[in-house]
Amino acid sequence: MQIILLSGGSGKRLWPLSNDIRSKQFIKIFKTPEGQYESMVQRVFHQIKTVDPEAKVTIATSKSQVSAISNQLGDGAVGISVEPCRRDTFPAIALATAYLHDVMGVQEEEPVVVCPVDPYVNEDYYQALKRLSDLAEKGVANLTLMGIEPTYPSEKYGYIIPEKQGDEETIHELDELDNLEPLEALDKLSSPVLKVACFKEKPSKKVAEEYTRQGAMWNGGVFAYKLGYVLNRAHELLDFTDYQDLFNKYETLTKISFDYAVVEHEKDIAVMRFSGQWKDLGTWNTLTEAMTDPTMGKVILNDQCENVNVINELNVPILCMGLKDAIVAASPEGILVSDKEQSSYIKPHVDGIDQQIMFAEKSWGNYHVLDVEHESMTIKVTLNEGHQMNYHSHEQRDEVWTVISGQGTAIVNNVSQKVKPGDVINLPRGTKHTILADSKLTLIEVQMGQEISVHDKIKEPNKV
């Protein structure tokens, strides 16, 4: 099974834990059976591999998220189709499809399933995706969608209206079921595949109630197709020759969704109904519903608190007393205290906050900004064992490294030296430098200069 996971979003609805670099899918909030915490992208990847160990996963994402993906899933665990800038789902899916064909060598007859990276689901969702892949391979339709069984008349989702509903005849002839095991046949009958009559935009609650009575389904943004179908449609709608050409022209593409560009113009579409658990964890209110424990981090709730969730990434305790129906979230980038229902309306307030990014995951580890002054910045840097930074230099700032834990090897202007706790390394501007962690290594980096910017970085040829 070839799966493209769409991983985008600025993460502002889950401020202050998320930002342009760490979107909601990278927040480690879900408890594993072993008692550890994992992120949405880790949870999704493990679920896919449990259902289909041979599945090939490609993540379509922005450049800013590549390091977090490598950090959380491991180098080489997934393919990554990097979007040079945000251009909505049609350009993203077109680019990822071209990536599969031209870079990964996937043939045009192979089925591909596209889905968002961030719904909260169980493994039956990915079993359904596997079935969608099989339907695409058999050519049931040019496009096969997953329709989510509505649990309430929602105004947040678009709706898929099927031509036939309920127990009426489906696309599959009944005699096809004769060759199946009883449980597999029952599964097919309980998840009928129907022709699509039309699509409806996000409706009012009253209209949504009528759609639900008609057997309509939520559009969960899941598409299955033979690779050649979308590749050909991309060539019809976009002027490009191959993956690299499309990548180079990406910034000039019009922002448009896959639904508008492709789905709504296709006549041969089928939809498979999915009735399992499916939650869109796009706000604090919905995200806290998926938390195993009401609190994370250093948190104290007195016995008068009711329906309160607290997530604390700071190294100081949070005490809550007598709160009801509230969410508290604290990180180095800010503190949110909100009524749960009101937390859904956070975005316009966060849009007005101009805040230095204080935490980020990198392919080699992570960093926390500890202090920001006019001409200096102090950062705590952690490198994972066996990893290293890029070999680089800076034009506008000096740096001083102080190793506080772990062992490693620093390379400064092509000269190697072993480092240990207490060692101090001075790095005047223009100095080429990197560090390799022999064990998990933590250092304090002090940056000094009149203009301190993340863009002040020149990559040098690797010397390790």
Side-chain angles (χ1 to χ4, degrees):
M1 179 168 57
Q2 293 280 354
I3 295 184
I4 296 173
L5 298 176
L6 300 179
S7 176
S10 63
K12 291 184 178 180
R13 294 187 187 278
L14 293 177
W15 180 90
L17 267 60
S18 60
N19 52 46
D20 285 340
I21 293 177
R22 185 172 67 154
S23 296
K24 64 182 177 181
Q25 53 266 36
F26 302 111
I27 302 173
K28 294 185 178 181
I29 200 172
F30 305 102
K31 206 167 190 178
T32 67
E34 296 75 30
Q36 304 297 315
Y37 285 98
E38 66 180 357
S39 67
M40 179 65 75
V41 73
Q42 290 172 316
R43 186 175 190 270
V44 166
F45 182 72
H46 296 151
Q47 286 177 318
I48 291 172
K49 286 298 188 177
T50 298
V51 169
D52 183 1
E54 302 303 316
K56 301 293 189 296
V57 180
T58 298
I59 300 181
T61 190
S62 63
K63 183 179 179 181
S64 64
Q65 295 183 4
V66 172
S67 292
I69 292 170
S70 298
N71 183 294
Q72 294 196 359
L73 299 183
D75 293 329
V78 298
I80 300 179
S81 173
V82 180
E83 302 168 65
C85 55
R86 288 176 181 156
R87 284 295 179 266
D88 215 328
T89 53
F90 171 59
I93 292 171
L95 185 68
T97 301
Y99 170 86
L100 288 179
H101 183 262
D102 297 336
V103 179
M104 304 304 293
V106 178
Q107 299 302 304
E108 292 191 16
E109 286 300 304
E110 284 200 45
V112 176
V113 179
V114 176
C115 63
V117 74
D118 53 5
Y120 186 76
V121 295
N122 294 322
E123 288 178 7
D124 59 348
Y125 176 86
Y126 297 101
Q127 291 166 351
L129 293 191
K130 197 169 189 306
R131 186 184 170 207
L132 274 184
S133 178
D134 294 339
L135 292 171
E137 185 174 28
K138 292 175 182 177
V140 164
N142 284 336
L143 277 173
T144 307
L145 314 184
M146 178 189 286
I148 308 300
E149 183 79 33
T151 54
Y152 64 98
S154 174
E155 303 170 63
K156 297 192 301 180
Y157 308 117
Y159 283 76
I160 303 170
I161 312 294
E163 286 185 358
K164 297 178 183 291
Q165 300 103 33
D167 297 327
E168 298 180 55
E169 184 179 357
T170 68
I171 290 173
H172 289 289
E173 298 294 339
L174 294 180
D175 57 13
E176 181 185 333
L177 304 178
D178 293 340
N179 299 321
L180 302 176
E181 293 294 326
L183 288 178
E184 188 178 358
L186 180 62
D187 172 65
K188 288 186 180 294
L189 284 172
S190 63
S191 301
V193 180
L194 308 169
K195 286 289 187 181
V196 172
C198 60
F199 298 88
K200 298 294 183 181
E201 294 300 312
K202 298 174 183 178
S204 65
K205 183 177 180 180
K206 184 177 180 180
V207 174
E209 289 173 350
E210 180 59 30
Y211 289 163
T212 303
R213 281 195 294 270
Q214 294 175 6
M217 293 160 269
W218 290 339
N219 186 351
V222 179
F223 318 99
Y225 51 86
K226 289 185 178 180
L227 182 142
Y229 168 76
V230 166
L231 191 63
N232 292 334
R233 291 292 288 132
H235 278 295
E236 291 171 7
L237 297 170
L238 304 172
D239 179 22
F240 73 102
T241 56
D242 56 15
Y243 164 76
Q244 191 59 53
D245 186 41
L246 183 59
F247 181 90
N248 294 339
K249 294 177 177 177
Y250 201 80
E251 191 172 0
T252 68
L253 303 183
T254 301
K255 292 182 179 181
I256 186 170
S257 72
F258 189 78
D259 293 88
Y260 284 143
V262 176
V263 179
E264 294 188 4
H265 299 282
E266 177 56 55
K267 303 300 183 185
D268 186 15
I269 304 181
V271 59
M272 184 184 78
R273 186 181 296 269
F274 176 70
S275 302
Q277 176 177 267
W278 183 89
K279 290 184 179 181
D280 178 12
L281 306 183
T283 65
W284 275 118
N285 195 15
T286 55
L287 187 70
T288 55
E289 292 176 2
M291 289 179 63
T292 306
D293 301 320
T295 66
M296 288 178 57
K298 294 183 177 181
V299 178
I300 303 169
L301 302 179
N302 78 342
D303 57 9
Q304 298 301 306
C305 288
E306 296 179 15
N307 190 27
V308 174
N309 291 88
V310 184
I311 303 173
N312 183 14
E313 291 190 333
L314 302 177
N315 195 30
V316 293
I318 292 178
L319 169 62
C320 298
M321 302 180 68
L323 296 182
K324 292 176 175 59
D325 303 320
I327 171 71
V328 178
S331 84
E333 295 187 21
I335 298 173
L336 169 71
V337 181
S338 174
D339 170 81
K340 284 195 172 182
E341 183 180 355
Q342 286 297 308
S343 68
S344 300
Y345 306 104
I346 189 176
K347 190 174 183 298
H349 301 285
V350 176
D351 284 341
I353 298 175
D354 183 16
Q355 171 66 40
Q356 161 82 38
I357 290 178
M358 306 295 283
F359 171 82
E361 289 185 270
K362 308 293 288 183
S363 58
W364 40 258
N366 62 66
Y367 69 81
H368 287 79
V369 176
L370 303 178
D371 182 68
V372 180
E373 299 291 343
H374 175 55
E375 293 185 0
S376 71
M377 185 181 297
T378 304
I379 303 170
K380 181 179 180 181
V381 178
T382 301
L383 289 92
N384 296 326
E385 180 178 353
H387 288 72
Q388 69 174 89
M389 300 175 179
N390 291 319
Y391 195 50
H392 65 282
S393 62
H394 307 287
E395 292 184 328
Q396 304 296 324
R397 69 175 184 255
D398 304 323
E399 291 182 349
V400 177
W401 286 351
T402 302
V403 179
I404 58 176
S405 68
Q407 311 284 329
T409 302
I411 300 179
V412 180
N413 286 334
N414 301 334
V415 177
S416 300
Q417 65 181 90
K418 289 291 183 180
V419 294
K420 62 185 185 305
D423 287 348
V424 178
I425 302 171
N426 290 292
L427 303 167
R429 64 196 65 188
T431 303
K432 302 174 186 177
H433 58 281
T434 186
I435 191 164
L436 170 66
D438 297 333
S439 61
K440 186 175 181 179
L441 187 147
T442 303
L443 59 86
I444 300 298
E445 175 179 293
V446 179
Q447 302 176 0
M448 295 165 290
Q450 292 184 343
E451 293 186 20
I452 297 175
S453 168
V454 294
H455 304 294
D456 178 22
K457 184 175 182 179
I458 302 171
K459 290 185 179 181
E460 305 287 352
N462 200 336
K463 293 299 179 181
V464 177

